[in-house]
Amino acid sequence: MDIASRLVITPPMYFEEPASKCGYCKGEKAPADAFSLNSWAQESLEDGNSVRNSTLGFQCENLTVEMYDSLCNRGFRRSGRFLYKPDLLRTCCRLYTIRTTPEQMHPSKEYRSCVRRFCKLAGAPQTPSQPFDYIRELTAALADDSCRLTTRFEPATYTEEKYALFAKYQEEVHADFKHNKRSFERFLCDSPFPDEVQQGTSEEWAQLNAVSSGDCEGGPTDLLRLGPAHECYYLDGTLIAVAVTDFLPSGLSSVYFIWDPAFRRWSLGKVSAMRELALLSRTTRPYYYLGYYVEDCPKMNYKAAYGGELLDVTAARYYPLDELRKQGALDHGHLFAYSGEDDHGERERELDGLLGLDSYERCDVGEDSGLRNVAEEVYGAHGAIAQNQQDYASVVETLQKYGIDYSYDDYAQLYGQSDSDSPEGIRPLPNVVPGMLPLHELLSMVESNRMNQLNGSLLIYDTQMLRIRPVFDFYTEPESIKTALCNVVRVLGLRLAKRTLVII
Ligand SMILES: [Zn+2]
């Protein structure tokens, strides 16, 4: 297995900073809503505890699109070459992965007027549909010769023109003046995909641009393009917007969108999302990934307008957003975790088998679904984890006997005191993070010799010796390496860990 087909990463890290640094709530939401669950809000507010902004992530030097697809479906996103996911239990905002499909988008009146205003401003003839069909109207408008706006997909590479647009957008829309060419490049051009994937072939780009403009015959097209892309929007030949996207085997992931503030009336953000959905509707790839959804953040909950489903990282499956709302699972932006009748939320769910799945199914959570929200029962201040602290202590002790350097962290102290004063920092991975392999599952892997599956498959780049070597025997590795490998397995699952090169 060559390096280009491996996941090349630093060991997973855990970052904490004051909630005031959170880009979504800025630490300003009602304290009771910042805690992940009611029980924690009640406990912690009495004790004067508060919430921090907590993220898990790693630097990534190489990644295949298939691996990234799979990581997106476990709650990860990328920013340049950095892959991260929020700790849904501890952080101030519940950032749920949201995906939708072209059929799930039912444009509201606002979106219908957006489409029609856009067509008018672009000088394209109106082709009203009844019932309203956003895919048909947008495609017809852009295909018409009189349309002043054209778009083109191309490799996600740096140009002066793109940076000038980014600078204008950041300054006027986000009041951010701290950008420079390199920060733009790192954020919206760099990616951990292999060079040839970043570049693509002329055949791929030609087919993508043809399908995007609606120029494709017959049934859904089997798209060739996989990997990052910039879709450039030109008005009479001038660049006025860039959509940054990743083409994945299961669909299209929207990364970022920059637009010229002089064209605010054009609602280019909404139009570009609908255009990307229209593109998908002509391909065999089903899902449109919109990044994170935050129920109690206006900057993020607009995504509900596209319909869709949210990821439950504790069960590796998706639930329809409108059903979750009906069930009250998203009230106060709290944590949800659904479980079946056979399982009463007595402990954290084992995940390794689920992480090996290639696609995550959609489940209903309505009355007849047999599923119920067990977030309080498992993760709450009086839930299974809190009740079984002795078990966790003994699991940690046994892991230590195997030379795995984990320490006991008191679940009752999930939320610490004095948030605002403590600086940001990197700390060890907590023992409980939703979506990460539970400690008892890790221990059973260690005790049953399953960790030997890493031998000869997981590679280590030893930064002291400056050489790459495989794991020879997991059990005789030095303690620091064994611990780092356990963290990799807890975050990625055994199957993906076996295809990883860890830089230690
Ligand atoms: Zn927040």
Side-chain angles (χ1 to χ4, degrees):
M1 187 180 189
D2 63 357
I3 301 293
S5 54
R6 284 196 176 257
L7 178 63
V8 180
I9 57 168
T10 60
M13 293 170 283
Y14 189 86
F15 305 88
E16 274 191 342
E17 56 183 11
S20 56
K21 295 258 183 101
C22 169
Y24 305 108
C25 70
K26 307 206 159 40
E28 287 167 1
K29 66 161 84 163
D33 297 348
F35 293 93
S36 57
L37 292 164
N38 260 333
S39 59
W40 282 116
Q42 281 164 10
E43 291 277 308
S44 303
L45 288 173
E46 281 168 25
D47 297 340
N49 288 345
S50 57
V51 176
R52 288 151 161 274
N53 188 32
S54 317
T55 311
L56 191 144
F58 45 81
Q59 194 64 29
C60 184
E61 297 304 328
N62 192 68
L63 174 71
T64 68
V65 280
E66 291 78 14
M67 285 167 171
Y68 185 53
D69 199 337
S70 158
L71 287 166
C72 281
N73 281 294
R74 301 171 190 198
F76 279 95
R77 295 287 293 170
R78 75 174 182 90
S79 173
R81 291 166 171 271
F82 186 70
L83 268 73
Y84 64 96
K85 71 192 246 185
D87 175 350
L88 295 176
L89 187 59
R90 291 169 186 77
T91 202
C92 48
C93 294
R94 254 52 60 200
L95 274 64
Y96 290 111
T97 295
I98 181 169
R99 74 179 184 191
T100 190
T101 54
E103 306 75 44
Q104 289 184 70
M105 164 75 182
H106 302 293
S108 63
K109 201 172 159 213
E110 185 196 350
Y111 279 73
R112 291 200 294 269
S113 357
C114 267
V115 170
R116 294 195 167 146
R117 192 170 53 239
F118 167 81
C119 296
K120 210 167 148 193
L121 289 166
Q126 305 271 329
T127 46
S129 49
Q130 199 55 259
F132 180 82
D133 183 338
Y134 72 99
I135 296 177
R136 199 139 64 94
E137 292 203 14
L138 277 173
T139 308
L142 276 130
D144 196 274
D145 288 340
S146 59
C147 185
R148 293 167 58 206
L149 190 124
T150 52
T151 78
R152 190 182 69 229
F153 278 104
E154 61 180 43
T157 45
Y158 177 91
T159 66
E160 293 289 331
E161 197 186 20
K162 287 177 193 172
Y163 174 62
L165 180 67
F166 175 74
K168 199 170 172 191
Y169 170 77
Q170 287 300 102
E171 290 169 15
E172 290 184 35
V173 178
H174 295 298
D176 165 22
F177 297 88
K178 282 193 282 186
H179 57 80
N180 56 47
K181 289 179 182 185
R182 187 62 198 118
S183 68
F184 164 69
E185 201 172 10
R186 264 202 307 267
F187 179 35
L188 295 178
C189 305
D190 287 357
S191 77
F193 301 108
D195 287 347
E196 63 274 20
V197 171
Q198 296 192 39
Q199 203 47 46
T201 63
S202 48
E203 196 191 357
E204 268 174 41
W205 296 110
Q207 186 212 36
L208 177 56
N209 280 311
V211 177
S212 165
S213 65
D215 181 13
C216 51
E217 308 257 290
T221 305
D222 203 354
L223 215 54
L224 300 170
R225 177 64 191 151
L226 282 171
H230 282 170
E231 186 180 22
C232 300
Y233 286 63
Y234 297 96
L235 183 69
D236 302 327
T238 305
L239 185 71
I240 61 160
V242 178
V244 185
T245 53
D246 284 329
F247 284 88
L248 304 176
S250 72
L252 175 58
S253 166
S254 166
V255 180
Y256 206 70
F257 186 71
I258 56 175
W259 43 275
D260 186 335
F263 296 90
R264 200 175 282 274
R265 282 192 68 223
W266 290 56
S267 304
L268 290 168
K270 294 188 178 90
V271 168
S272 75
M274 285 188 273
R275 286 204 63 249
E276 284 158 12
L277 282 161
L279 163 63
L280 276 180
S281 74
R282 292 189 277 274
T283 74
T284 52
R285 298 193 197 157
Y287 297 113
Y288 184 54
Y289 298 92
L290 296 102
Y292 291 126
Y293 176 82
V294 186
E295 173 76 0
D296 54 353
C297 174
K299 239 164 65 185
M300 302 299 273
N301 63 13
Y302 72 91
K303 294 176 184 178
Y306 299 93
E309 38 210 52
L310 303 189
L311 174 66
D312 178 350
V313 288
T314 70
R317 57 189 175 214
Y318 286 86
Y319 313 123
L321 176 58
D322 54 353
E323 278 189 26
L324 287 167
R325 276 183 164 172
K326 249 183 253 163
Q327 294 258 316
L330 298 173
D331 292 357
H332 299 278
H334 279 167
L335 174 70
F336 65 75
Y338 277 81
S339 195
E341 272 160 2
D342 51 332
D343 167 0
H344 295 280
E346 283 135 3
R347 66 198 313 203
E348 284 178 274
R349 180 197 292 270
E350 298 211 345
L351 266 174
D352 191 50
L354 299 172
L355 295 183
L357 300 175
D358 284 325
S359 65
Y360 288 167
E361 58 173 339
R362 170 195 169 112
C363 293
D364 291 332
V365 287
E367 301 274 304
D368 307 325
S369 66
L371 294 180
R372 62 198 178 85
N373 186 357
V374 296
E376 278 285 5
E377 281 168 62
V378 179
Y379 297 101
H382 313 289
I385 297 167
Q387 304 280 337
N388 294 312
Q389 281 302 282
Q390 280 202 311
D391 289 354
Y392 280 82
S394 80
V395 168
V396 166
E397 215 172 281
T398 317
L399 286 168
Q400 284 168 352
K401 283 185 190 146
Y402 281 95
I404 295 155
D405 185 21
Y406 281 178
S407 55
Y408 175 72
D409 62 23
D410 187 357
Y411 197 70
Q413 300 296 312
L414 192 63
Y415 297 100
Q417 295 215 324
S418 78
D419 171 41
S420 50
D421 302 337
S422 33
E424 48 187 278
I426 299 180
R427 53 163 285 192
L429 260 55
N431 288 344
V432 175
V433 178
M436 210 162 86
L437 260 55
L439 272 196
H440 62 80
E441 186 177 11
L442 176 72
L443 178 62
S444 103
M445 286 170 146
V446 169
E447 291 192 312
S448 64
N449 291 330
R450 254 190 294 164
M451 297 300 266
N452 272 334
Q453 290 185 30
L454 300 177
N455 301 351
S457 58
L458 187 147
L459 299 183
I460 292 170
Y461 178 71
D462 186 326
T463 49
Q464 279 178 351
M465 305 291 284
L466 298 179
R467 60 172 189 144
I468 293 176
R469 66 165 179 92
V471 171
F472 300 117
D473 173 11
F474 170 81
Y475 294 89
T476 59
E477 287 286 344
E479 197 161 295
S480 61
I481 291 195
K482 231 186 285 186
T483 308
L485 297 183
C486 282
N487 287 340
V488 169
V489 169
R490 290 195 72 201
V491 170
L492 302 178
L494 202 49
R495 190 172 91 149
L496 189 49
K498 282 162 33 179
R499 302 170 60 202
T500 301
L501 185 155
V502 189
I503 304 164
I504 299 179

